[in-house]
Amino acid sequence: MGKIIAIANQKGGVGKTTTSINLAASLGVLEKRVLLIDADPQANATSGLGIDVETVEVGTYQLLEHSISALQVIVKTDSPNLDIIPSHIDLVAIEIELVDKENREYMLKQALAEIKEKYDYILIDCAPSLGLLTLNALTAADSVLIPIQCEYFALEGLGKLLNTIKSVQKIHNKELDIEGLLLTMYDSRLRLSNQVVDEVKKHFSGMVFKTIIQRNVRLSEAPSYGESIITYDADSKGANNYLSLAEEIISKNK
C-alpha cells in the first residue's frame, strides 16, 4: 500500500520543491516505486525533472478536474523508479473552478485511489499557500513533511500551518499524521543557523528529522539542468543529505 506524503509550507523559498524532487529521486534509487505529484502552478518540480512545461498537455489540473484518470497523466522520468504527474501554469485556475464543486477538498484523494497500490511512496509538492490545492493534498495524504529553512523567520507561519493541519485532521482527514519537520538550507558557519536548529528542536523535539539539509551549491544548480541532485552529482553533500533523509523515512515506515 503506497504512502502519500504531502510536502507543505505556505512560506515560499523554504526548499519544498528541492525536497520533493530529491527525496523522490533518492527513494527511487533505494529501489522504492515513487510517484511525484506537482501540485504547484509554478511547475518547478516538473521542469526540475527535465520535463518541458510548455509541452505538458495533461497533468495535475485534469486530475483534479476528474476529466482524465490518474493512469493517463503519469509520465516516466529519467530517474530510476520515479514517475511524475506534471503541472502547468493552468493549474492556477483550479482553485476557482473547484469552489462550487461538491466534495471539492476530496478531488485529489478520489483521483489517487486507483493508483495508490502501484507505488511505495507518492509525494505531493504543494504550492506555497494554504488554498484549495494544498487542502486537497492534505486531505489525500497520509502524512505531511514540513521543510523549515534555518533562517531568521523560520518559525514564522509554522503555527498557522500546524493549525491548518489540525483543522484538516478534524474535518477532512482524521488519519493525517506529521511525517516530520525537515531543517533545510543549514550553514554550520552561521550562528543563526545553529540557533534555529536549537529552537526548532526545543519546541518540536520528537517531530524533527535527524537529517539536516545543508546549503549546497550543487543542490541549487541541479534543477537548471532538469536533474535531481542524485543524477547531477551523486557525491555531493546535497545528494548524501537527501539519501540519508530517504533512509530515515523508509526505516520510520517499516
Side-chain angles (χ1 to χ4, degrees):
M1 184 68 152
K3 178 162 195 183
I4 302 179
I5 303 175
I7 297 169
N9 190 331
Q10 77 273 28
K11 265 173 74 78
V14 295
K16 272 192 302 293
T17 301
T18 302
T19 295
S20 301
I21 292 172
N22 296 310
L23 174 56
S26 300
L27 288 164
V29 165
L30 296 171
E31 301 187 341
K32 298 293 175 191
R33 292 161 307 162
V34 188
L35 173 66
L36 175 59
I37 299 171
D38 191 347
D40 183 350
Q42 295 174 70
N44 291 339
T46 303
S47 60
L49 280 171
I51 293 165
D52 179 359
V53 177
E54 296 304 315
T55 63
V56 171
E57 287 176 11
V58 291
T60 315
Y61 179 79
Q62 286 75 14
L63 186 70
L64 283 161
E65 264 194 333
H66 290 188
S67 62
I68 198 164
S69 82
L71 285 168
Q72 293 170 288
V73 288
I74 293 171
V75 177
K76 280 215 158 314
T77 73
D78 294 335
S79 206
N81 302 314
L82 174 57
D83 294 343
I84 186 170
I85 292 181
S87 178
H88 188 273
I89 189 67
D90 287 357
L91 191 57
V92 167
I94 202 77
E95 306 239 339
I96 300 155
E97 287 180 26
L98 289 183
V99 160
D100 304 330
K101 291 254 172 93
E102 213 181 319
N103 291 333
R104 57 178 185 253
E105 300 89 353
Y106 297 92
M107 300 305 259
L108 186 59
K109 187 185 175 82
Q110 291 163 0
L112 296 181
E114 63 166 336
I115 57 163
K116 201 174 174 186
E117 299 290 334
K118 277 174 58 80
Y119 294 96
D120 296 308
Y121 291 95
I122 296 176
L123 304 185
I124 308 172
D125 182 27
C126 295
S129 73
L130 294 176
L132 204 45
L133 265 174
T134 300
L135 189 53
N136 260 274
L138 294 175
T139 303
D142 298 304
S143 66
V144 54
L145 185 157
I146 305 169
I148 299 172
Q149 87 280 43
C150 296
E151 280 164 17
Y152 185 65
F153 293 115
L155 295 176
E156 198 185 60
L158 186 60
K160 199 173 172 192
L161 178 61
L162 293 172
N163 283 338
T164 300
I165 291 168
K166 268 202 192 95
S167 71
V168 170
Q169 285 167 329
K170 205 188 286 175
I171 305 165
H172 305 296
N173 183 359
K174 289 182 176 59
E175 308 300 310
L176 184 64
D177 212 355
I178 291 183
E179 189 71 28
L181 305 182
L182 176 67
L183 290 155
T184 62
M185 305 179 194
Y186 173 73
D187 186 338
S188 57
R189 297 164 304 180
L190 299 179
R191 200 167 91 219
L192 180 62
S193 269
N194 293 302
Q195 282 171 341
V196 170
V197 171
D198 293 344
E199 193 76 1
V200 172
K201 284 185 172 169
K202 188 173 85 186
H203 288 289
F204 304 100
S205 58
M207 290 159 68
V208 186
F209 284 108
K210 289 189 186 73
T211 305
I212 293 179
I213 309 298
Q214 294 164 299
R215 269 201 188 283
N216 179 234
V217 175
R218 308 296 276 166
L219 205 49
S220 38
E221 286 173 356
S224 60
Y225 292 89
E227 292 180 12
S228 75
I229 189 65
I230 309 297
T231 325
Y232 182 63
D233 186 350
D235 295 325
S236 66
K237 205 185 283 178
N240 288 328
N241 287 169
Y242 277 108
L243 281 165
S244 134
L245 175 65
E247 281 163 356
E248 206 177 324
I249 285 175
I250 291 168
S251 66
K252 192 177 169 185
N253 287 294
K254 271 184 178 151

